[in-house]
């Protein structure tokens, strides 16, 4: 439910930015392919104080929605980490969540601030250029052009909203988990007919939290569970060794970008070192 709320909020921001940039762009500019005019409008929007205030407002709102999920689970993880003297922990759980909130707001502000740049990508797509050519030939009218451009942009907004929502959830989860001393997670795939084969293969694989260049490489893209376009996978953080009950595990080897097999003893050693 919360994820749907976040999606709607991100989509709303995108559509508002679209209106501000495109509503006053006339057909003359479109026919000339005046990317300079569009780019200037985007830059003015991004740097305006009004848009920055909107970014701050929505950054806080989205962060609260993301952090409020599974609070009971995270409180339990916090108590386990505190008992085991793991991570760098504030004295209380509320202080811990306050720190997570501050970092989530920074992440979201940066994401929302970049949304206007996505509009330029829409305008530069081959689909839009084809529409402009059809207008020039007279086979498509101005109203149809504007409606189709709007429809195309709104579809793009939905994709961005879904992707950024998943990224937000993964970012908050990684931040919480690593502060509790977690060095790895178990990749959980949706595993239905909509799941990409590469993501099905990752189901139940142990993945170490690593920098961007060492995250899993799937379909020529890198990311953790939930960070890919339209990805519905989730990371289950390993906070305590009692979570590991199998004798062998599949582990993503970030050094060679492949999945390897590892027995529980070896995996525990790797978790203690924080690397393979």
């Amino acid at each position: 439910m919360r994820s749907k709320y976040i999606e709607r909020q991100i989509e709303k921001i995108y559509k508002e930015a679209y209106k501000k940039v495109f509503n006053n762009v006339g057909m003359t500019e479109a026919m000339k392919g005046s990317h300079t005019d569009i780019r200037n409008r985007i830059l003015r929007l991004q740097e305006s104080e009004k848009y920055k205030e909107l970014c701050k407002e929505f950054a806080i709102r989205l962060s609260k929605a993301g952090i409020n999920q599974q609070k009971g689970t995270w409180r339990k993880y916090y108590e386990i980490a505190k008992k085991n003297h793991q991570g760098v922990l504030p004295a209380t759980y509320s202080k811990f969540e306050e720190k997570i909130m501050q970092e989530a707001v920074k992440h979201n502000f940066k994401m929302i601030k970049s949304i206007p740049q996505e509009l330029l990508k829409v305008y530069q797509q081959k689909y839009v250029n084809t529409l402009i050519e059809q207008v020039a030939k007279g086979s498509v009218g101005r109203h149809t052009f504007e409606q189709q451009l709007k429809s195309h942009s709104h579809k793009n907004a939905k994709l961005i909203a879904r992707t950024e929502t998943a990224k937000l959830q993964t970012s908050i989860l990684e931040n919480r988990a690593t502060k509790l001393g977690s060095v790895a997670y178990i990749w959980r795939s949706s595993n239905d007919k909509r799941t990409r084969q590469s993501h099905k293969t990752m189901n139940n694989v142990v993945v170490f939290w690593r920098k961007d260049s060492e995250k899993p490489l799937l379909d020529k893209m890198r990311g953790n569970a939930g960070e890919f376009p339209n990805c519905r996978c989730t990371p289950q953080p390993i906070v305590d060794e009692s979570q590991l009950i199998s004798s062998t595990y599949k582990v993503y080897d970030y050094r060679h970008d492949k999945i390897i097999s590892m027995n529980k003893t070896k995996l525990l050693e790797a978790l203690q070192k924080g690397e393979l």
Side-chain angles (χ1 to χ4, degrees):
M1 186 67 182
R2 282 288 179 179
S3 293
K4 287 295 180 185
Y5 167 80
I6 294 170
E7 277 187 34
R8 288 195 297 270
Q9 294 301 310
I10 295 174
E11 193 175 341
K12 180 180 177 181
I13 298 165
Y14 183 99
K15 288 179 179 178
E16 284 300 315
Y18 173 89
K19 285 181 186 178
K20 290 179 184 297
V21 174
F22 283 97
N23 274 7
N24 297 318
V25 178
M27 183 54 65
T28 303
E29 287 90 342
M31 293 299 295
K32 289 179 180 177
S34 182
H35 295 306
T36 301
D37 182 71
I38 299 292
R39 189 176 293 108
N40 287 341
R41 289 172 188 270
I42 286 172
L43 290 175
R44 285 199 297 271
L45 172 64
Q46 275 190 311
E47 298 309 315
S48 71
E49 287 304 315
K50 192 171 181 180
Y51 189 68
K52 287 179 184 177
E53 286 302 315
L54 182 144
C55 290
K56 290 177 186 176
E57 176 191 339
F58 277 95
I60 293 170
R61 196 181 299 178
L62 297 184
S63 299
K64 284 181 178 177
I67 285 173
N68 283 337
Q69 296 193 69
Q70 297 184 316
K71 268 200 165 183
T73 300
W74 285 104
R75 185 180 287 277
K76 182 182 75 174
Y77 284 159
Y78 170 84
E79 294 301 335
I80 291 172
K82 194 172 181 180
K83 181 181 177 181
N84 295 340
H85 305 288
Q86 295 173 185
V88 181
L89 301 177
T92 64
Y93 178 72
S94 61
K95 289 290 185 183
F96 171 70
E97 287 291 272
E98 185 181 313
K99 183 68 175 174
I100 300 299
M101 176 69 178
Q102 290 170 357
E103 295 184 14
V105 169
K106 288 180 185 177
H107 170 92
N108 287 335
F109 181 86
K110 185 178 178 181
M111 179 271 292
I112 297 168
K113 190 88 162 35
S114 71
I115 282 178
Q117 290 288 345
E118 297 295 332
L119 302 174
L120 186 59
K121 294 178 185 177
V122 171
Y123 189 74
Q124 291 174 329
Q125 286 176 13
K126 185 178 179 180
Y127 169 88
V128 177
N129 290 327
T130 300
L131 274 178
I132 292 172
E133 288 174 9
Q134 290 174 336
V135 173
K137 293 175 183 177
S139 55
V140 171
R142 172 175 176 165
H143 179 71
T144 302
F145 170 82
E146 291 174 345
Q147 287 299 110
Q148 290 195 34
L149 183 59
K150 185 176 181 180
S151 173
H152 192 67
S153 181
H154 285 191
K155 287 178 183 176
N156 204 47
K158 288 184 181 294
L159 174 60
I160 288 170
R162 284 195 299 269
T163 303
E164 291 301 335
T165 298
K167 283 183 178 179
L168 165 61
Q169 299 300 82
T170 298
S171 173
I172 291 174
L173 189 149
E174 179 179 0
N175 196 10
R176 274 172 160 164
T178 52
K179 279 183 169 50
L180 293 176
S182 170
V183 297
Y185 69 89
I186 300 173
W187 186 300
R188 301 297 189 195
S189 303
S190 298
N191 247 14
D192 55 27
K193 62 183 180 181
R194 291 168 54 200
T195 306
R196 282 165 282 190
Q197 185 55 52
S198 59
H199 291 228
K200 286 183 178 180
T201 302
M202 287 297 295
N203 192 40
N204 294 324
V205 173
V206 174
V207 180
F208 282 73
W209 299 112
R210 304 294 298 179
K211 59 185 179 182
D212 288 348
S213 62
E214 294 175 339
K215 291 179 180 180
L217 179 63
L218 307 179
D219 306 319
K220 298 181 180 180
M221 295 179 285
R222 287 192 184 275
N224 284 317
E227 291 185 334
F228 295 83
N230 274 326
C231 181
R232 293 171 298 128
C233 302
T234 56
Q236 179 188 326
I238 300 172
V239 179
D240 185 64
E241 64 180 50
S242 64
Q243 293 173 257
L244 303 174
I245 56 176
S246 299
S247 57
T248 59
Y249 285 87
K250 293 185 294 181
V251 180
Y252 189 84
D253 183 349
Y254 53 82
R255 301 164 304 180
H256 304 101
D257 286 321
K258 66 178 184 179
I259 296 171
I260 60 175
S261 182
M262 188 176 285
N263 63 43
K264 182 179 176 179
T265 302
K266 289 290 184 183
L267 176 57
L268 287 173
E269 288 175 3
L271 292 173
Q272 287 170 2
K273 291 191 298 182
E275 58 183 17
L276 296 175

